[in-house]
Amino acid sequence: MDTQNAYHPIGIFDSGFGGLTVLKEIRQQLPGYDYLYLGDNARAPYGSRSFETVYEYTLECVTHLFNMGCELIVLACNTASAKALRTIQQKDLAKFGPHKRVLGVIRPTTEIIGHYSKSGHVGVLGTPGTINSGSYLVEIEKFFPDLHVYQEACPMWVPLIENNEYQNEGADFFIKKHVQQLMQQQEKIDAIILGCTHYPLIINQIKKYLPEQVHLLSQGSIVAKSLTDYLLRHPDLEKKCSKHGRIEFYTTDQTSAFDKAATLFYGQNINSKHLAL
Ligand code: DGL
């Protein structure tokens, strides 16, 4: 293939479906590029798994994406960003070649959260894996050392969303419970990061249990904006990313099940292909 036709899609990785909410926003802001989405549905959810397991699974998927032509990969999964990104960047990336890059979804929100808070008290909602990793605390501290950060793990939210049960009363019970538990830690919280790719789907239900002035930061558009800036700051890498407006979806599990559930997250019909691990 000549350089003009070379296929170097931007890789978007998630444990399953959630990264599609991020991809949707990225594609809206950067429509010309090629994208390759990989959901590791066969081994999802990652949210309750150990550091070692999440690292091992994520590295395997990242390797596949690089082998499929990606030069740049976004880990569109908080759990993978929290538990695997740093090790991959520091230990593994060089093996794939000097120009390959892997980015995560935690940094873009942590570097702006302080601008949304007047009280100096902010919250983070996420999977148990993300919350227990402490990654949000570490990253926010780097950018806003004076902010007070309160966290709440919401183990039921991902299963409720993935089973399409998030719009009923049962779901409301768990949404209310965790939002209240977060606010009970500190009533002055006035900005909250939705630290999981699935949570944009329940943003209106979350809002119901919060005072009106509380800002909710949903990652998709923030990550997309951050990727846009990143590409501007890295013109050599940007040039390598191919631009035919193509998009491909891969899942490590059954394609028919993926296509059915994925529509909920992506808002459009999807025809995925299977990737054997
Ligand atoms: N995508 C994951 C995240 O953002 C949630 C799903 C999972 O636990 O695998 O944390």
Side-chain angles (χ1 to χ4, degrees):
M1 253 185 198
D2 62 36
T3 333
Q4 227 185 348
N5 292 318
Y7 184 51
H8 295 301
I10 297 175
I12 310 284
F13 168 72
D14 181 49
S15 57
F17 305 110
L20 291 167
T21 61
V22 178
L23 173 63
K24 195 167 125 188
E25 298 283 349
I26 290 179
R27 237 191 141 204
Q28 245 163 44
Q29 286 191 35
L30 296 164
Y33 293 87
D34 296 330
Y35 295 96
L36 209 161
Y37 183 89
L38 173 58
D40 189 10
N41 298 79
R43 304 185 293 194
Y46 280 14
S48 48
R49 297 196 189 278
S50 68
F51 265 88
E52 293 72 23
T53 306
V54 173
Y55 164 64
E56 187 195 315
Y57 289 176
T58 306
L59 179 60
E60 199 179 341
C61 291
V62 161
T63 307
H64 277 289
L65 286 169
F66 280 140
N67 290 340
M68 289 157 102
C70 299
E71 294 284 329
L72 169 66
I73 297 170
V74 178
L75 300 185
C77 172
N78 286 271
T79 314
S81 300
K83 293 187 163 187
L85 177 64
R86 185 172 300 208
T87 318
I88 291 176
Q89 284 175 334
Q90 290 175 355
K91 218 178 101 201
D92 304 295
L93 203 52
K95 290 181 229 155
F96 296 105
H99 307 295
K100 308 270 185 185
R101 291 289 176 268
V102 183
L103 308 173
V105 287
I106 294 181
R107 194 176 164 140
T109 39
T110 56
E111 61 188 17
I112 59 168
I113 180 73
H115 304 313
Y116 290 84
S117 175
K118 283 195 184 124
S119 71
H121 297 274
V122 301
V124 181
L125 296 163
T127 65
T130 299
I131 296 303
N132 296 335
S133 74
S135 294
Y136 274 96
L137 302 179
V138 172
E139 289 297 318
I140 294 174
E141 161 95 39
K142 283 185 200 159
F143 299 107
F144 302 100
D146 297 332
L147 269 190
H148 299 277
V149 187
Y150 307 85
Q151 304 195 100
E152 175 73 11
C154 315
M156 295 298 289
W157 290 9
V158 166
L160 284 165
I161 295 167
E162 293 213 339
N163 289 293
N164 202 0
E165 294 286 353
Y166 63 97
Q167 279 159 326
N168 63 32
E169 273 175 44
D172 253 16
F173 171 86
F174 287 105
I175 294 168
K176 182 177 175 189
K177 175 180 165 179
H178 291 296
V179 172
Q180 287 186 342
Q181 281 177 190
L182 177 68
M183 296 308 286
Q184 274 158 13
Q185 293 181 50
Q186 172 55 263
E187 60 180 18
K188 290 188 200 148
I189 290 173
D190 57 359
I192 298 175
I193 295 179
L194 299 185
C196 173
T197 50
H198 288 52
Y199 299 174
L201 274 83
I202 53 169
I203 193 164
N204 289 332
Q205 283 138 289
I206 296 172
K207 275 186 190 157
K208 266 198 331 206
Y209 302 109
L210 285 170
E212 221 172 293
Q213 72 276 12
V214 177
H215 288 281
L216 278 182
L217 273 79
S218 186
Q219 290 174 318
S221 56
I222 296 168
V223 171
K225 163 89 176 54
S226 171
L227 181 62
T228 308
D229 294 344
Y230 184 87
L231 289 168
L232 282 171
R233 283 185 281 112
H234 297 83
D236 290 345
L237 183 63
E238 194 282 331
K239 265 186 230 129
K240 285 205 181 111
C241 297
S242 55
K243 301 165 192 76
H244 310 100
R246 245 171 91 177
I247 185 153
E248 286 185 286
F249 299 90
Y250 283 86
T251 172
T252 57
D253 208 351
Q254 255 185 356
T255 53
S256 53
F258 180 85
D259 295 351
K260 199 164 159 224
T263 313
L264 193 68
F265 293 83
Y266 195 60
Q268 279 177 36
N269 288 339
I270 283 171
N271 273 316
S272 63
K273 294 173 205 152
H274 179 71
L275 180 90
L277 288 167

